[in-house]
Each structure stands twice: as structure tokens, then as C-alpha cells.
Amino acid sequence: MAAIFQGVGAAAALSSSPSNSFDSKKFVSSPCRSFSVRKGASFAVVRSDGRVNLNPKSRRAQQLISNAVATKSDSAAASSSSKPGHELLLFEALQEGLEEEMERDPHVCVMGEDVGHYGGSYKVTKGLAKKFGDLRVLDTPIAENSFTGMGIGAAMTGLRPVVEGMNMGFLLLAFNQISNNCGMLHYTSGGQFTIPIVIRGPGGVGRQLGAEHSQRLESYLQSIPGIQMVACSTPYNAKGLMKAAIRSENPVILFEHVLLYNLKERIPDEDYICNLEEAEMVRPGEHVTILTYSRMRYHVMQAAKTLVNKGYDPEIIDIRSLKPFDLYTIGNSVKKTHHVLIVEECMRTGGVGASLTAAITENFNDYLDAPIMCLSSQDVPTPYAGTLEEVTIVQPAQIVKAVEQLCQ
Amino acid sequence: MNGASCAAKISTQPFSLNPTSPTSHDNPLVSPKPTSLFLGSTRKLRLSSSSKLNLHRRSGTVVAVSDVVKQKKSKSTPSLLITKEEGLELYEDMILGRAFEDMCAQMYYRGKMFGFVHLYNGQEAVSTGFIKLLKQQDSVVSTYRDHVHALSKGVPARAVMSELFGKTTGCCRGQGGSMHMFSREHNLLGGFAFIGEGIPVATGAAFTSKYKREVLKEADCDHVTLAFFGDGTCNNGQFFECLNMAALWKLPIVFVVENNLWAIGMSHLRATSDPQIYKKGPAFGMPGIHVDGMDVLKVREVAKEAIGRARRGEGPTLVECETYRFRGHSLADPDELRDPGSHLNPFFSQVQKCHLIQCRAASLAAEKAHYAARDPITALKKYLIENSLASEADLKAIDKKIDEVVEDAVEFADESPVPSRSQLLENVFADPKGFGIGPDGRYRCEDPKFTEGTAHV
């Protein structure tokens, strides 16, 4: 019964957007769902641009692609085009996106520590220095504040730099430049100078990296006016967001996660971008809206398996755009399920979850049947010990419990 | 003289005011002495560090400037440093800077502008001496003391005054204010409120110039960037980090230190272990030059060489201009901070302190008088007249013209409209899609409330 109910719900969800142009035959999902046509992949991902009101030009060809959960590799290609797509790891997807943009526009350049000859400490810029030269892929000295500022000055004068923080935590040293110049210069110059810079790097809690290498800078940077923040979570959206960020005229901060670089997925061969301001519908559902991003998406997916077995039907949205929030996708979901659970890796105080809670309460309070629940990391410097580190972040068991509590 | 010897002297006599330069102060514009600019320090430092570094590269850069300028000094005859046209241009630019800043003070006290306003009186020689040698495509990066840099670079006085009044016709539409002067047209890259944060931006502009030449193959791109900042900034990390990067990649940039000896109330000598800032250039592999910043012709000579170096692709230069601000740090600063008692060692006895206060008061009064006597405008005027490059009448005509320009700027600013509410959200993002998607599915920038400026972001 649950399966049928889900199937109906999902079909209704899919057909509710009149302008959706995806072919329902290509909709892929887990074998135990009833609304699937093709089997193979574990969860379906619907690109969230099946929407009425948006400018069609801002959307790329709508395709469905299967999402790779960390533990499973994908077998079926879900591209709606004739090309088979190609499989790669997330860091390779980032590299591909970066390389394609560098080929497309000679003003795109990379700056950061060890991005050139070393190929990037997470190999995102591997091979690029050989191909594009030492000036286009610039190995900087260890001076985050200054080379970020240098990137901003270069962006103001016509280049499109991609500044890499070897770890997002290091960008704390660049806070002066990111806040004062990156975010504000366009405004204080009366619109005269644009800063089409991309600042990217890995953050989040890894495997016993210690407190300082496990920071979530999105919570500190989110207040800065004039910037956009996005977080990638799959090879598909990693490449898409990287390209969109580079092409954007706004300063964009792209948050990657240390533990997600080796995710594998099959992505399309043809050119595509992911819209910077949109959220991603990971799994449509009826009972509860789970909002998450980056690595927590996978903890949520894991919890979802348990939840489904227990008879729940969670709707899972990867918010992707941390600033600004996609209130349309989120709002539609809240209006449907009336229950919201936010699962994030930021700390309890002042994180993205806190802002999201406020935004939803402000905009959709009338649609809520229960207070919003927000699961965040503990307000604790991430301990080195594995057992302690495990309990500072949100684990799937907690997510299951929270949903059960929420949907009583 | 360095900090240690100053400290040693503290108990017996007042601070010496000018430990860094033995430049002749009496006749600033006549027979510039060959030894005055470099004090031999660049050479000494090169020899001590050459064993560790690439000798070929360093000796090429360090020797070039000192040699060339030294030659120029010994060859040049005193009265032909500039032509009449150049002289009048320099005079006009300095008078514009002075008159404008004086008008700012008036307007501030009349309540036409608010907040932090930092005036440049006394330092005009640096701005004029450097910026008048630039092309339009060259970039200038300044600090919060940026009005005169903007004017020298070519931003109209009207646009600057309007900006100060917070009017929509200001160069930054009234959104920047005194400390954030920008002009895309004139390549003025700001205007920064925090010290030091403009230096990396300047380094980035210089990087773009090099990138254009080497990657984009715009072979004739020889744009130079000038970064202006003060003595206080020279103790800041961004300064050192950028000296390193600029020298490392031989960026076409000139770092211009406007050393006016005071960072609000903090004397340069109390804040800096080695107060001779120009010596820090060679430590990073670029020439370091000290110049009398109250003498526009000397500044111009040094600037010519430094800018020339950058244009030729030979890399950065650090120029320390010894200058002075006649007014307080800002219009909100009553300038009591450059006061007699503030420097005293708390462990001195009352008698010692009294004695020192008296000496200090005398020495500070002397400091101010000393620099007032070296007013760059008076000096240039004297030079032009004594060398028959211009007559009193010519100069008076310029004074009058500038008065009119400044009056006109005030009138224009007064009559300009204040920004309307709709301007509030306009320049937050270059691409306003950055405000995101609203609950109704539309981009928020399409909401009419956004263009009205009344939407909640």
C-alpha cells in the first residue's frame, strides 16, 4: 500500500508542472518503488527546473540522471540524449568543468596553493598547468588574504579568476577580502566594477582531520551581502555548478566537501550547467520535507532507506544554493508535506540551517503542521578521536528518529 | 638612524623628528643632492643577501634604479626638471587638491557630508608627482585618503563632491562615500576603508596587465598600477605578502608609501621596529627608494623611473615618500593626538615627564612648523617663478580657475538629487538573479518591489 501511495504521489508531483519537458520513460528510481519504469539506480533525481514561471532561457536541456549514493555505483545511463555519457569521479567532474570553461574563455584563470605543478591537493586542477601554463594556473605563496585580494583585483580588471582555498578553513584568513571587497565592491563602486570571481575549496568534517581542518565556512560567510554560495554534492552538479559559477557575473563561493571527491557518477557528454539559484529534488515524497546539502545528503539518503522500510515517504531536497535559498522548490515542498526537517553539517548556532529555519518560518508558517526541526552539528570544535567526531555530526539514525518524531 | 638609537636617546633629549632622511630641507628644488635618495641601503642589502638568492635576477633589478636615477641626478641642471606646461599642470593639480580638500572641510562643518572624511592637505606632491605621469589605462589604488588621488587621476571634481554629499550623481552613485572613490573610466580601483586591503587589489590589477600581455597576447599592454598607502599599513601582513608576490612574478606595480609619520595618533616610530620603510623593498627583491614627498619634482623624478621600470616589465618598486598631513587624521580627529604627552614612557618620573612634555610640545610644534615651511605648493610656486617658468599672474589665474571649479563642484553637488529608494537594491549584484527565487517561483529581482527598493531581501 505504501508503495502504491508513493507511486501516486510521485506521479502527481511530476505531472504538476506543466512545462516539464522530461520524458517520464527516462525516470529512474529504485526497484522497490512502484513508479519506476527502469530499474538499476538507487534514487531518482529530478532536475528542479520543471517550472512554469521561469525564463526558459535560463534552463538547460532538462534531463534526468540517476544519483550515485556513496556506496553504490551507477550502472544505467539516464541521459535523454543519444550520447551515452561518461563516468567519472566528483573531483574529475570539477576538473572537467574548470577545463572546459578555461578552454571556452581565455580570461578564466586559477589561483591557489599547489594548484599548478602539484595539480591541486585534491587533484581538481590536475594537468591544467601543463595545458594552460603557469600564469593561467598560478601557484601562489601561502598568503590567502592577499591572493584572494589579488583575484578580486584581477576580476575587477577583466579576468575571471577561480581562487582555490586548499581547505575552506584557510579562507578564514581571507575573510577581510571576501567580505569587504568581494561582496561589497560592486555596490560601493556604484556598480562600476564587477567581480566575476569563483572562490572554491573543500570544507566540512572529514575523517579525523582535526578541528581546524573540519570547518564549515558557509555559516560564517552567509551574512556577507553581494555573494552567492552554492554547495555541490554529486559529480553532475559539481560540474554544472562549477561552470555556472565561472560564467556568473556575481562572486560565487562554491563549497565542496572533503569526503565527496571520490563519488562516481555517469554524467552527460554534452555541455550543461546547473542553475546557481535552484535547489535539487532528490526524492519526491509526501510525508516530510528533508532539506539538506553537501555530504549530509548522503546521510539523509541512508536514513531514507530505513524510513521507507518503516513506511515513511520523505521528500528529499538538496538545497544546493546556500545563499540565496530557492524558496520556490522549498516552499512547494512545505506546502505539500507540512513537515520540515533540516539536516546540515553546520554547527547549531548561526549555521545555514538556522537561516533556513528563519526563512521558512517567515514565508511558509501557515503551511506547517509542526515546528521545523533542524539537525546540525554540535557546537563543538571537531574532535580528532573518531568516536567523538562521529557524534559531533548528524548520523542517519538521528535523522530517522527525527522524522519519526516529526511525523507523529 | 633606527628605532634602537632613538630609544637610547629618549632619556636625554626629545625624539629626533626626521630620522630617516638627510635630505636638504632648505632649498628643496635647487641642486638635488645625488646621495639624498638612496642612502646606499639598497646596495648594502643586495650584497648581504645575494648569496642566498638568484644573483642575476636581483642585481639586475636593484642596481638599475639607483644607477639610472643617480646618473640623472648628477647630469640634470637644477632649473630644467620640467617644462612650463608641465609646471603649470603640476601646479594646477596640486592647487585643485588643496582647494578641494579645504572646501571639504568647510562643507563637513556645515553638515553637507558626514562620517569619516580624511583630508590630504600637505601630501599633494605625492599624488601629483606620481599620477600625472600615468596614462588613462593605468590603474590607481588608494586608501580612505583618496579624494586627491581621484582628482589627479581625472575624476571630475563634480563627481567627487557629489559622492561626498551622498548624491546620486556622485562617482559611485552616492553608495561609496569619502572612503570609496571608484571610477571605471579613469581606472581608479578604490578607495578602501581598511588599511592594507587595497594592496592585494592593486596587485591583482597588475597581474591582469601581465596576463593580458603574456596570455592574451595583447603585446602592447604595458599598463601600470600604483598602490598608495601609509606608514601604518607597512606593518600589515597584506603589505608584505604583496611585496613578495609582486616581486616574485615581476608585476608592473609601484608601491607608494605616503609616510606622514602618523597613524591617527600612533607615531610611526612607536609602531615600527625599523622605521625606514624603503629598506623593506630589497628584502623582497625590489628596489626601495626614499624620496622627499614634500617636493613634487623630486617625487616626479623617482616616479618616472619606477613607473618606467614597471612598464618595461622589470618588476615592482617600493617608493617611500616622506610627507606630512597638515590636518588631523580625519575631520573627526581634533588633532590633539599629535600632542605632547602621548609618547612618554610611563616609568619616567614626574620631573622627567614635565621636561619631556615641554620639549615634546616644543618639538611637535616644531614638527608642524617644519613641514608647513615645506608646503609643496609654496615650493613649486617658488621654483616656477624663480626659474621664470611662470609668472605670478599665470599662477593667480590658475588659483582663480580652480576656485571656480571647486565652487562649481559644490553647486553641482548641492543641486543634485539624493538617491531614490529604488536605488537601494540595484548594485548589490551584477547579475540580480543572485537575490534568488522567491516563493512564487519568479526571480526576486523581477518583483516590482525590488525595483522600488522596498522588497525585503
Side-chain angles (χ1 to χ4, degrees):
Chain A
M1 185 204 98
I4 299 167
F5 176 77
Q6 283 163 40
V8 167
L14 290 171
S15 58
S16 64
S17 39
S19 71
N20 85 62
S21 59
F22 52 75
D23 187 343
S24 58
K25 282 195 225 125
K26 303 288 191 313
F27 185 67
V28 184
S29 69
S30 163
C32 62
R33 306 281 174 274
S34 67
F35 48 71
S36 65
V37 176
R38 272 164 65 185
K39 295 181 183 178
S42 37
F43 288 98
V45 172
V46 173
R47 192 103 14 78
S48 58
D49 28 20
R51 233 178 272 139
V52 201
N53 297 325
L54 292 184
N55 181 357
K57 286 188 208 146
S58 68
R59 271 170 283 149
R60 298 291 159 199
Q62 298 185 12
Q63 303 159 34
L64 290 170
I65 199 156
S66 53
N67 179 35
V69 180
T71 46
K72 288 190 189 177
S73 66
D74 222 69
S75 48
S79 167
S80 61
S81 71
S82 52
K83 295 190 196 160
H86 55 287
E87 218 173 46
L88 42 51
L89 305 179
L90 196 146
F91 78 87
E92 290 169 339
L94 288 166
Q95 185 202 29
E96 215 175 74
L98 185 49
E99 196 173 339
E100 283 174 19
E101 290 306 298
M102 288 179 81
E103 279 168 0
R104 185 175 173 266
D105 182 354
H107 295 88
V108 180
C109 56
V110 182
M111 306 175 179
E113 295 158 10
D114 273 330
V115 295
H117 295 187
Y118 194 78
S121 48
Y122 291 92
K123 299 197 225 114
V124 173
T125 51
K126 190 169 172 203
L128 296 184
K130 272 215 186 79
K131 183 170 177 183
F132 295 108
D134 279 351
L135 209 56
R136 277 192 86 183
V137 187
L138 187 72
D139 277 323
T140 62
I142 307 174
E144 277 78 6
N145 202 13
S146 293
F147 71 69
T148 305
M150 194 174 92
I152 292 165
M156 285 166 78
T157 43
L159 301 186
R160 304 186 80 91
V162 177
V163 173
E164 174 175 308
M166 191 185 270
N167 185 288
M168 275 312 218
F170 301 170
L171 293 181
L172 284 172
L173 288 135
F175 211 110
N176 180 358
Q177 291 292 338
I178 297 175
S179 171
N180 285 350
N181 289 346
C182 195
M184 298 193 197
L185 261 177
H186 183 70
Y187 195 78
T188 52
S189 67
Q192 290 182 83
F193 290 98
T194 57
I195 304 166
I197 194 174
V198 177
I199 298 175
R200 51 156 291 270
V205 176
R207 297 242 184 276
Q208 299 189 247
L209 299 179
E212 292 177 24
H213 283 83
S214 311
Q215 299 193 66
R216 285 123 281 167
L217 241 65
E218 56 268 25
S219 49
Y220 309 145
L221 298 175
Q222 60 176 332
S223 281
I224 298 172
I227 56 159
Q228 283 186 249
M229 304 196 315
V230 288
C232 62
S233 50
T234 67
Y236 181 86
N237 64 34
K239 180 177 176 184
L241 290 173
M242 169 74 93
K243 292 176 70 123
I246 293 174
R247 292 185 196 181
S248 171
E249 292 304 312
N250 298 334
V252 179
I253 306 186
L254 170 58
F255 290 90
E256 302 153 17
H257 197 285
V258 275
L259 293 181
L260 297 184
Y261 279 127
N262 290 326
L263 284 181
K264 195 191 281 196
E265 187 180 8
R266 184 170 289 272
I267 65 170
D269 291 324
E270 54 279 343
D271 200 38
Y272 71 92
I273 62 164
C274 288
N275 213 333
L276 290 174
E277 298 87 23
E278 288 181 18
E280 190 179 309
M281 178 67 72
V282 181
R283 181 193 186 284
E286 286 293 305
H287 289 162
V288 58
T289 299
I290 306 184
L291 302 171
T292 183
Y293 68 93
S294 193
R295 186 184 167 222
M296 284 297 120
R297 168 181 173 146
Y298 297 95
H299 281 203
V300 167
M301 301 299 264
Q302 213 176 317
K305 284 189 233 170
T306 314
L307 285 169
V308 165
N309 288 338
K310 290 191 176 195
Y312 292 95
D313 183 24
E315 176 153 294
I316 302 172
I317 295 175
D318 181 341
I319 62 171
R320 241 168 48 183
S321 176
L322 307 180
K323 181 184 169 111
F325 295 131
D326 177 359
L327 290 179
Y328 184 68
T329 308
I330 294 170
N332 284 352
S333 182
V334 175
K335 289 175 190 173
K336 182 168 60 157
T337 67
H338 312 294
H339 296 85
V340 176
L341 172 67
I342 299 170
V343 180
E344 58 157 357
E345 209 174 284
C346 282
M347 291 195 251
R348 190 98 201 85
T349 306
V352 169
S355 303
L356 193 49
T357 305
I360 296 173
T361 311
E362 229 169 58
N363 287 289
F364 309 114
N365 195 43
D366 289 340
Y367 297 96
L368 291 171
D369 284 349
I372 301 170
M373 235 195 202
C374 180
L375 297 178
S376 328
S377 299
Q378 305 271 5
D379 275 345
V380 161
T382 312
Y384 164 73
T387 44
L388 292 178
E389 185 184 67
E390 224 174 79
V391 295
T392 50
I393 58 171
V394 180
Q395 297 294 345
Q398 285 168 271
I399 302 172
V400 172
K401 217 163 155 188
V403 170
E404 286 174 340
Q405 205 180 329
L406 199 52
C407 293
Q408 271 166 1
Chain B
M1 247 188 263
N2 57 28
S5 58
C6 282
K9 285 185 176 171
I10 194 172
S11 52
T12 53
Q13 52 189 262
F15 282 120
S16 26
L17 291 166
N18 205 353
T20 56
S21 168
T23 318
S24 159
H25 299 153
D26 304 315
N27 293 299
L29 295 168
V30 176
S31 8
K33 299 190 171 70
T35 53
S36 65
L37 294 179
F38 306 105
L39 309 182
S41 62
T42 51
R43 293 206 138 171
K44 278 183 200 152
L45 284 162
R46 172 178 73 86
L47 289 171
S48 63
S49 52
S50 62
S51 52
K52 292 175 204 154
L53 295 154
N54 184 339
L55 176 62
H56 175 72
R57 175 177 149 155
R58 297 196 88 218
S59 59
T61 57
V62 174
V63 172
V65 183
S66 48
D67 274 349
V68 173
V69 185
K70 264 191 173 182
Q71 278 172 359
K72 269 197 179 173
K73 286 290 154 231
S74 47
K75 280 181 190 167
S76 66
T77 46
S79 54
L80 293 177
L81 283 169
I82 45 168
T83 64
K84 175 177 181 174
E85 288 75 31
E86 287 170 344
L88 292 178
E89 187 195 7
L90 297 180
Y91 183 79
E92 183 170 329
D93 194 54
M94 291 206 288
I95 287 286
L96 175 60
R98 182 68 61 87
F100 190 92
E101 297 292 69
D102 283 339
M103 184 60 79
C104 278
Q106 264 193 62
M107 293 297 114
Y108 188 85
Y109 293 124
R110 279 199 212 161
K112 299 287 184 83
M113 57 179 89
F114 300 91
F116 294 124
V117 178
H118 308 82
L119 299 183
Y120 201 73
N121 297 50
Q123 300 183 197
E124 294 86 359
V126 181
S127 179
T128 301
F130 267 94
I131 299 181
K132 283 306 169 196
L133 291 170
L134 294 180
K135 304 187 289 199
Q136 181 155 6
Q137 304 94 321
D138 294 324
S139 299
V140 166
V141 174
S142 178
T143 59
Y144 44 72
R145 207 179 296 281
D146 55 354
H147 307 169
V148 179
H149 294 139
L151 294 169
S152 292
K153 194 62 174 62
V155 182
R158 282 182 162 194
V160 182
M161 193 60 84
S162 284
E163 184 62 31
L164 293 169
F165 282 29
K167 301 297 180 81
T168 192
T169 47
C171 55
C172 300
R173 308 181 80 199
Q175 288 164 195
S178 167
M179 298 185 282
H180 302 283
M181 294 289 168
F182 288 84
S183 168
R184 183 164 207 117
E185 188 191 335
H186 301 280
N187 288 299
L188 174 66
L189 269 52
F192 292 93
F194 287 16
I195 60 156
E197 68 178 359
I199 307 178
V201 173
T203 310
F207 178 82
T208 300
S209 176
K210 183 182 169 91
Y211 190 98
K212 280 184 178 164
R213 180 141 65 173
E214 295 182 18
V215 175
L216 302 178
K217 307 293 183 203
E218 292 171 26
D220 51 355
C221 179
D222 60 355
H223 303 156
V224 166
T225 305
L226 299 185
F228 290 92
F229 47 93
D231 44 284
T233 308
C234 295
N235 294 323
N236 188 279
Q238 285 167 108
F239 169 63
F240 299 112
E241 289 173 3
C242 290
L243 285 186
N244 178 45
M245 292 197 290
L248 188 63
W249 299 316
K250 279 205 175 156
L251 300 181
I253 185 172
V254 183
F255 296 100
V256 184
V257 183
E258 296 172 320
N259 183 355
N260 59 21
L261 299 178
W262 293 88
I264 308 188
M266 190 63 166
S267 146
H268 176 58
L269 304 174
R270 289 183 72 215
T272 317
S273 57
D274 183 349
Q276 293 173 298
I277 300 170
Y278 67 91
K279 279 160 81 176
K280 299 176 188 186
F284 288 90
M286 70 180 81
I289 304 168
H290 178 276
V291 66
D292 177 2
M294 304 305 273
D295 178 343
V296 67
L297 298 180
K298 284 192 187 148
V299 171
R300 193 178 152 90
E301 283 303 295
V302 168
K304 253 190 218 160
E305 184 49 38
I307 293 171
R309 249 177 67 79
R311 255 195 237 296
R312 292 188 299 268
E314 291 167 22
T317 313
L318 175 66
V319 180
E320 179 186 354
C321 304
E322 180 204 327
T323 182
Y324 202 74
R325 52 173 165 81
F326 294 157
R327 289 179 178 269
H329 166 72
S330 73
L331 286 174
D333 168 18
D335 201 16
E336 289 160 14
L337 293 164
R338 292 188 284 190
D339 84 54
S342 62
H343 289 212
L344 298 180
N345 185 322
F347 295 111
F348 289 162
S349 73
Q350 275 307 108
V351 172
Q352 281 175 312
K353 280 186 192 171
C354 268
H355 175 72
L356 276 164
I357 286 173
Q358 283 167 14
C359 293
R360 191 83 189 99
S363 73
L364 264 148
E367 179 184 275
K368 287 187 177 174
H370 169 81
Y371 283 100
R374 288 164 63 188
D375 186 330
I377 292 176
T378 319
L380 180 64
K381 190 169 176 177
K382 187 164 173 234
Y383 180 88
L384 291 172
I385 291 177
E386 279 180 1
N387 293 284
S388 309
L389 285 170
S391 64
E392 282 273 4
D394 290 332
L395 301 181
K396 278 220 159 48
I398 291 177
D399 291 348
K400 186 161 182 294
K401 173 181 167 194
I402 291 301
D403 275 341
E404 284 168 13
V405 166
V406 174
E407 292 275 351
D408 167 77
V410 172
E411 235 179 82
F412 175 78
D414 258 334
E415 288 164 12
S416 293
V418 288
S420 61
R421 181 93 190 240
S422 58
Q423 203 183 300
L424 179 67
L425 301 170
E426 273 174 17
N427 302 122
V428 179
F429 289 105
D431 178 357
K433 297 219 294 283
F435 283 117
I437 300 165
D440 60 358
R442 288 193 302 167
Y443 273 100
R444 297 168 110 177
C445 53
E446 291 165 24
D447 176 355
K449 285 218 187 103
F450 251 71
T451 42
E452 286 163 29
T454 50
H456 217 44
V457 228

